[in-house]
Amino acid sequence: MMFLELSNGFTNTILIFILTLLFSLPLGIGIYYLKSSKILPIRALFSFFVSLMRGTPLMLQLMFVYFGPYYIFGFRSPDRFFAVIVTFSLNYSCYFAEIYRGGFEAIHKSQFEAAKIMGLSKALTFRKIILPQVIKIIIPSITNEVITLVKDTSLAMVIAVSETFTIAKSMAARDASISPYVAVAIFYFFMNYLVEYIMKKIERKIKNNA
């Protein structure tokens, strides 16, 4: 019965997790390239944006995205869940952008030069030589961020989105029981275990194919 009541929270938590990854991983690549732009204003703007998103609490960002439009423009965000996905995606894309930066900067420039001498196009060089090495380098850091994301989904409660922890908190107060918290702890543990297992399988496959 308890797990049935918590099921809606489990669903929302998993949705926040999946949608955030779906948007933030590719968005992070775009932010990385814009932050590395040769055009100074663009580079400065996105460098500041990344610093801002990484230097302020995710909880505060959630409140700003949801309540900010009302105080600044006079209208509310259309949907709480939408505000959560936007905030999480922007926040994590900035972390992923820095991970991508570390991966690309670890590749020595001589590899680009060697590929050019061999007559390979930029696209082929990137796809066949650079990208596999970058993925191999960044996988451990990506894994850490993905595990952190699982736990950060609980912050959605700040703007009253009914994720796992919100429902458990309400049930614990109503029933004067710690059991909902135990159930949530088990849920987060197994979700993180599953994420870590999948990421290790991917990392092992990449190493074997290298």
Side-chain angles (χ1 to χ4, degrees):
M1 183 67 180
M2 179 177 63
F3 279 96
L4 187 63
E5 195 170 347
L6 284 167
S7 62
N8 185 51
F10 294 156
T11 302
N12 280 343
T13 295
I14 292 168
L15 270 175
I16 292 169
F17 173 77
I18 292 172
L19 290 174
T20 299
L21 283 184
L22 187 65
F23 293 123
S24 62
L25 284 168
L27 186 58
I29 295 175
I31 291 174
Y32 159 69
Y33 277 110
L34 289 167
K35 189 172 178 282
S36 307
S37 173
K38 293 179 180 179
I39 303 170
L40 180 60
I42 293 176
R43 187 170 70 246
L45 176 64
F46 280 90
S47 293
F48 173 75
F49 177 69
V50 170
S51 295
L52 180 67
M53 296 303 285
R54 295 178 73 214
T56 55
L58 179 55
M59 183 185 297
L60 184 63
Q61 293 167 19
L62 278 165
M63 295 176 72
F64 182 83
V65 170
Y66 184 68
F67 296 109
Y70 176 76
Y71 291 109
I72 298 171
F73 304 109
F75 63 87
R76 288 196 182 278
S77 174
D79 183 78
R80 293 175 190 270
F81 191 82
F82 174 79
V84 167
I85 299 304
V86 168
T87 308
F88 272 67
S89 297
L90 289 175
N91 179 278
Y92 272 85
S93 65
C94 290
Y95 282 94
F96 289 138
E98 286 300 290
I99 291 172
Y100 296 144
R101 180 184 64 80
F104 281 108
E105 288 183 356
I107 307 299
H108 201 276
K109 290 182 179 179
S110 62
Q111 296 197 41
F112 291 93
E113 294 166 2
K116 189 176 181 180
I117 292 169
M118 292 170 63
L120 298 178
S121 66
K122 287 184 178 180
L124 193 60
T125 299
F126 179 79
R127 193 172 71 251
K128 294 292 185 179
I129 299 174
I130 306 303
L131 190 58
Q133 294 182 73
V134 170
I135 293 173
K136 186 179 177 181
I137 292 167
I138 68 174
I139 277 289
S141 298
I142 292 286
T143 301
N144 288 336
E145 285 302 317
V146 172
I147 289 172
T148 301
L149 172 60
V150 173
K151 293 178 284 187
D152 276 353
T153 55
S154 63
L155 292 175
M157 68 179 291
V158 171
I159 56 172
V161 170
S162 295
E163 46 66 60
T164 307
F165 188 76
T166 309
I167 295 174
K169 186 179 178 183
S170 175
M171 290 172 62
R174 183 195 67 200
D175 302 334
S177 169
I178 200 172
S179 298
Y181 291 133
V182 174
V184 168
I186 293 169
F187 167 75
Y188 279 118
F189 173 78
F190 278 105
M191 193 169 171
N192 269 325
Y193 180 84
L194 182 61
V195 166
E196 190 173 4
Y197 174 79
I198 292 170
M199 295 303 285
K200 281 184 176 178
K201 291 274 284 187
I202 293 171
E203 187 176 357
R204 198 175 298 118
K205 187 174 182 180
I206 290 170
K207 284 181 179 178
N208 291 339
N209 293 336

